[in-house]
Amino acid sequence: MKRFAKFTIDGKTVELPIIEGTCGPDVVDIRNLYQETGLFSFDPGFTSTASCFSNITYIDGDKGVLLYRGYPIEDLVEKCDFLEVAFLLMYGELPNFSQKESFEQSISHHTLVHEQLRSFYQGFRRDAHPMAIMVGVVGALSAFYHDSLDIYDPAQREVASHRLIAKMPTIAAMAFNYSRGRPLPYPQNGLTYAQNFLKMMFAIPSETYQINPVIAKAMDIIFILHADHEQNASTSTVRLAGSSQANPFACIASGIAALWGPAHGGANEAVINMLKQIGTKANISEFIERAKNKNDSFRLMGFGHRVYKNYDPRARIMRKACHDVFKHLKIDDPLLEIALELEEFAIKDPYFIEKKLYPNVDFYSGIIFRALGIPPSMFTVIFSVARTIGWVAQWNEMIADPGQKIGRPRQLYSGNVKRKIEDNRTS
Ligand code: ACO
């Protein structure tokens, strides 16, 4: 039965349809609100606004549940590799054997970047932040792959999507090696997605590089955990850019820019800086007090989430992966000790309990990256490599939606009313 919410203003009542999804809160359809009442809704930060229909990812933030196309993240990490998950996100189902084979073949076929694109790197300062390089180089892909820019041709959309998934590890590893003054790497297609990335990151031509299976597994898990997270800031940025019919490479570059900020993908870098700042376990309580103090801008980085008001399920998996890597590599990192104790303190503290602030995925990812020899400036880059499949899947879903419109929020204007330029304004 159709349900409606009633909205009454100045004696006039309008009926606003309720739309039901398969899980999660229903929504009030306010598309006719302005037409019927002359009012807009006001929702800065979109805390109560669903911006689209989506079949890709479901999060129950109160229960700490994350599903990709209906499958729990824990099961996907246990039973699938990253490219299977990428196929799932993009096409809606897990691949059968031949689909898996042909998807892997297509992705590995597209891992190389145009040779001329490689010379772009010389134009960047060696100390450029690799995210700056990512934004520039990924945006520049649209200047190279003209045959996959027609967004209304499903075959071109698919090629552009495969190119993006395939080239991101290459572009990221090139940015890393450029900053080190090392030769820019080439991909090796016989390897898995995670193995190939690790090899491009760390192998040097003068030595044989042995891929460590525990590290490759951890990297694969990191890629899966970061693959999609429904309508977060960067994904919404990709959708908004794409809604104007911009090409996919430009849209993904805009997503990378949005991901860069410390309130989003930059948080894992901020976690490491915070742990270093804390310095010793003895200082933990002082920093917790600072995080609780309204007059202090300090926040516990890696804690809190717009959607999760429970333990982020990705943080739990990451915590375990972190222990596995540390045990295997026999690493004794004081920052991990501080992180574990900080978590224990914070989750018992009434402030964090009341505000439902739990560790998020970024709390542990930086510590693993550190153990793998990946510098903080690369943390968000790796996140962007993993999230590309999510951006691409969400972008494809939006373009294929016949009801898709250009995204154009409204505003509550609070500036000057119409006024005149004074004749004596220069005196
Ligand atoms: N430390 C201390 N207090 C916090 C923290 C924190 N990490 N996070 C939120 N709070 C407090 C806020 O001060 C606020 O208090 P108030 O109600 O007294 O004003 C309350 O909790 C709610 O916080 P908001 O900022 O309003 O929540 P919002 O949903 O807008 O923000 C966010 C979520 C940005 C993630 C926030 O928790 C934060 O800044 N965390 C630290 C940064 C971080 O780890 N980001 C990574 C997110 S995960 C990701 O992007 C992959």
Side-chain angles (χ1 to χ4, degrees), residues 391-405:
W391 291 331
V392 155
Q394 301 268 353
W395 173 81
N396 274 291
E397 184 178 66
M398 180 188 70
I399 301 294
D401 177 356
Q404 183 260 325
K405 278 182 187 312

Side-chain angles (χ1 to χ4, degrees), residues 101-337:
E101 205 173 50
S102 79
F103 186 60
E104 282 173 354
Q105 215 163 46
S106 174
I107 297 301
S108 57
H109 176 75
H110 287 295
T111 50
L112 276 174
V113 294
H114 195 290
E115 271 303 298
Q116 220 173 318
L117 191 77
R118 296 170 71 83
S119 56
F120 263 50
Y121 284 74
Q122 312 305 322
F124 290 104
R125 285 172 53 137
R126 291 270 174 195
D127 61 356
H129 196 290
M131 281 299 273
I133 298 182
M134 295 302 288
V135 174
V137 174
V138 173
L141 291 176
S142 45
F144 286 86
Y145 301 102
H146 297 149
D147 59 345
S148 56
L149 297 182
D150 179 356
I151 63 164
Y152 292 114
D153 176 349
Q156 291 200 32
R157 286 207 301 271
E158 187 172 38
V159 174
S161 303
H162 286 205
R163 280 183 169 144
L164 278 157
I165 300 163
K167 293 181 199 308
M168 281 294 281
T170 315
I171 294 169
M174 283 162 70
F176 175 65
N177 281 284
Y178 181 72
S179 72
R180 300 269 149 139
R182 291 194 196 139
L184 298 185
Y186 283 98
Q188 198 172 316
N189 291 345
L191 301 174
T192 69
Y193 197 83
Q195 289 171 340
N196 178 44
F197 178 62
L198 285 169
K199 183 158 192 288
M200 284 192 291
M201 285 283 289
F202 297 117
I204 48 171
S206 44
E207 282 174 17
T208 312
Y209 180 74
Q210 293 290 348
I211 294 162
N212 181 321
V214 175
I215 294 178
K217 176 70 188 160
M219 188 53 76
D220 198 68
I221 290 175
I222 289 168
F223 285 151
I224 294 174
L225 294 182
H226 289 85
D228 194 46
H229 215 227
E230 51 114 316
Q231 310 311 319
N232 55 80
S234 57
T235 302
S236 296
T237 303
V238 170
R239 279 187 178 256
L240 197 55
S243 77
S244 74
Q245 300 165 15
N247 76 68
F249 303 107
C251 294
I252 301 306
S254 73
I256 297 170
L259 186 73
W260 193 355
H264 190 10
N268 48 14
E269 186 173 346
V271 170
I272 294 295
N273 293 335
M274 176 190 73
L275 294 173
K276 283 186 186 159
Q277 203 188 347
I278 294 175
T280 72
K281 287 191 204 173
N283 295 335
I284 288 176
S285 52
E286 178 199 328
F287 279 84
I288 290 198
E289 288 314 308
R290 282 190 59 193
K292 288 155 52 173
N293 182 352
K294 283 278 145 240
N295 300 318
D296 191 328
S297 61
F298 175 78
R299 281 189 167 196
L300 273 198
M301 299 314 289
F303 267 78
H305 197 276
R306 170 60 60 80
V307 182
Y308 292 115
K309 302 303 170 195
N310 201 326
Y311 211 101
D312 178 341
R314 301 167 303 169
R316 195 168 275 122
I317 299 168
M318 197 67 95
R319 190 181 199 270
K320 182 178 175 307
C322 197
H323 280 290
D324 291 348
V325 167
F326 274 67
K327 201 168 143 204
H328 178 77
L329 297 180
K330 298 191 175 58
I331 291 179
D332 197 11
D333 184 348
L335 291 198
L336 177 64
E337 298 300 313

